[in-house]
Amino acid sequence: MTNQKLVIPDAKSGIPMAFPVAMPDSALFPLSGNRLPLKKLLKKLSPNANGARINALLDSMRASSPTRQPSDAEDHASWNLHHPSALTMFEEIEAAATGKQIVVFLDYDGTLSPIIEDPDRAFITSEMREAVRDVAKLFPSAIVSGRCRAKVYDFVQLTELYYAGSHGMDIKGPSKGHKSQKRGNQTVLCQPARAFLPIIDEVYKALIEQVKHIPGAIVENNRFCLSVHYRCVEEKKWVELADQVKLVIKDYSQLRVTHGRKVFEIRPTIKWDKGNAVEFLLESLGFDESSDVFPIYVGDDRTDEDAFRVLRERGQGLGILVSNGPKETNASYTLQEPIEVMHFLRRLVEWKKVSLFRH
């Protein structure tokens, strides 16, 4: 692994912005954390693969896309004890954040909007939009999503926020809001995977062709990464879909594949994820060396674990996992669904307003 400086000009000013990017020395990038690379799963898969191998793949896909409630009530209770509700324990969070600058990071799908069959219709409610707007008025705030940045903005339509699309590989600052959200007169811009755009576009077209015969499969171009959704694919077709994805990706050592919630994520092999995006944004806001910052990251997917891990390693702030069942996580608290996320955001706003009134 080698560390390189990637220099990208600001979109408006043309002033270069440099930041470190870790580039892989080998063709295949080793994944961090507990994400399981699809290439490793499918390395020995063939049309004649035995049942054990197919079952292993299906088990991995099910684990990445939980749809069933846990049957062991004792395990569930134990998990809840170690990952309590952020609403129930709000006073504990309030005490930890008192006197510090809160920065709010929010995933989109499954966090602000429920997971639905058609990803193009994952709209947020007007009530959720209002809750996010109120938060952004009081705290520096960002949405960090695997989606294309422009698409997330079209869903949310709030100019006060940072938007970090493509798992943080496409970041743009707000056009208005907190003074600390800009470097001088520049809008903060980060696109560490720009060099991969031609390859991503090529693979996108190939995937469209390769999976078109599988009913329900959707290929989404998120600009700096790709998503192959199987939310509407029959489970008996999952292995076939995974095999078709492998056939396309196998000749592109510059790309890697991971699992999300009923989705394959195809990304460049640079070491950049939602955790890196959080670190970049905190640095851009001037909080990189601050001991008085309190980041709160709310997300539901295993890709959000990179951000949870960063906050845990920094010893600052906290992660909140959106899940109605036990999952292995680096988050400290939980919320069950987007409606609880909205209630949490409202409580955060109410607490801040009361604090300001007292002072």
Side-chain angles (χ1 to χ4, degrees):
M1 184 71 67
T2 58
N3 291 319
Q4 301 179 12
K5 282 282 188 178
L6 188 61
V7 179
I8 297 174
D10 178 83
K12 295 182 179 179
S13 67
I15 299 175
M17 297 176 60
F19 46 92
V21 176
M23 299 298 289
D25 296 318
S26 59
L28 292 178
F29 178 72
L31 295 180
S32 60
N34 59 2
R35 286 177 295 175
L36 193 59
L38 181 63
K39 288 184 178 181
K40 183 178 290 186
L41 279 170
L42 292 175
K43 188 174 182 181
K44 296 181 180 180
L45 264 181
S46 68
N48 298 316
N50 60 36
R53 287 174 181 163
I54 291 176
N55 287 339
L57 175 60
L58 285 172
D59 287 345
S60 176
M61 294 172 77
R62 292 187 189 112
S64 300
S65 312
T67 57
R68 303 172 179 85
Q69 291 292 328
S71 58
D72 194 324
E74 184 176 345
D75 286 349
H76 199 164
S78 175
W79 187 82
N80 285 336
L81 182 65
H82 292 92
H83 304 88
S85 165
L87 288 172
T88 302
M89 304 301 292
F90 187 83
E91 290 184 1
E92 182 176 280
I93 296 172
E94 172 188 322
T98 297
K100 299 180 180 179
Q101 172 63 65
I102 292 176
V103 183
V104 178
F105 299 94
L106 301 165
D107 181 29
Y108 185 77
D109 293 278
T111 299
L112 299 182
S113 166
I115 298 292
I116 62 173
E117 290 187 352
D118 184 355
D120 287 333
R121 298 190 61 79
F123 305 112
I124 63 172
T125 64
S126 57
E127 293 83 3
M128 179 67 87
R129 180 179 291 106
E130 190 64 28
V132 174
R133 178 187 286 114
D134 289 343
V135 165
K137 288 178 181 177
L138 296 171
F139 313 106
S141 302
I143 293 180
V144 186
S145 172
R147 298 279 201 128
C148 169
R149 174 173 56 81
K151 183 173 289 186
V152 176
Y153 178 81
D154 286 343
F155 281 143
V156 180
Q157 297 182 4
L158 295 175
T159 58
E160 300 93 338
L161 304 171
Y162 277 102
Y163 289 89
S166 301
H167 299 286
M169 288 182 284
D170 187 11
I171 302 174
K172 186 147 184 211
S175 58
K176 65 179 182 179
H178 300 273
K179 293 180 180 178
S180 58
Q181 290 179 315
K182 292 190 179 184
R183 289 176 170 174
N185 294 320
Q186 300 177 54
T187 299
V188 176
L189 177 70
C190 173
Q191 294 178 335
R194 178 175 286 277
F196 292 84
L197 286 175
I199 294 173
I200 290 171
D201 188 57
E202 182 179 323
V203 171
Y204 171 68
K205 294 173 182 176
L207 283 169
I208 289 286
E209 186 66 24
Q210 196 71 26
V211 307
K212 66 181 182 181
H213 68 285
I214 300 179
I218 299 174
V219 183
E220 184 177 17
N221 189 339
N222 297 311
R223 195 181 183 201
F224 292 96
C225 63
L226 304 171
S227 299
V228 181
H229 299 276
Y230 54 95
R231 299 173 189 175
C232 301
V233 175
E234 291 184 276
E235 190 169 308
K236 65 183 180 181
K237 291 281 189 180
W238 285 6
V239 170
E240 181 183 355
L241 177 63
D243 206 14
Q244 296 304 313
V245 172
K246 178 203 171 186
L247 287 175
V248 173
I249 302 301
K250 66 183 178 66
D251 294 325
Y252 295 89
S253 62
Q254 309 96 322
L255 302 177
R256 61 187 174 108
V257 186
T258 59
H259 284 164
R261 291 181 65 180
K262 289 194 176 180
V263 63
F264 296 126
E265 305 279 6
I266 296 97
R267 303 192 236 171
T269 53
I270 62 171
K271 177 60 182 77
W272 194 270
D273 53 37
K274 290 184 177 181
N276 298 107
V278 166
E279 291 181 309
F280 177 86
L281 287 168
L282 288 174
E283 181 180 359
S284 300
L285 288 163
F287 297 131
D288 188 46
E289 303 295 332
S290 174
S291 60
D292 294 327
V293 64
F294 196 85
I296 297 176
Y297 189 105
V298 188
D300 75 304
D301 197 79
R302 66 168 51 195
T303 59
D304 298 306
E305 291 297 326
D306 295 308
F308 295 152
R309 187 179 62 255
V310 162
L311 297 187
R312 188 174 288 273
E313 290 173 353
R314 289 173 65 99
Q316 293 180 312
L318 54 89
I320 300 175
L321 175 68
V322 183
S323 174
N324 58 9
K327 292 181 184 178
E328 184 178 349
T329 182
N330 284 298
S332 302
Y333 298 91
T334 59
L335 294 166
Q336 291 200 5
E337 54 190 344
I339 188 69
E340 288 199 353
V341 174
M342 185 177 71
H343 292 325
F344 175 81
L345 296 178
R346 285 176 172 173
R347 287 198 65 177
L348 202 61
V349 168
E350 290 169 4
W351 167 67
K352 183 63 175 179
K353 286 181 176 179
V354 169
S355 299
L356 292 173
F357 179 76
R358 288 175 179 171
H359 291 85

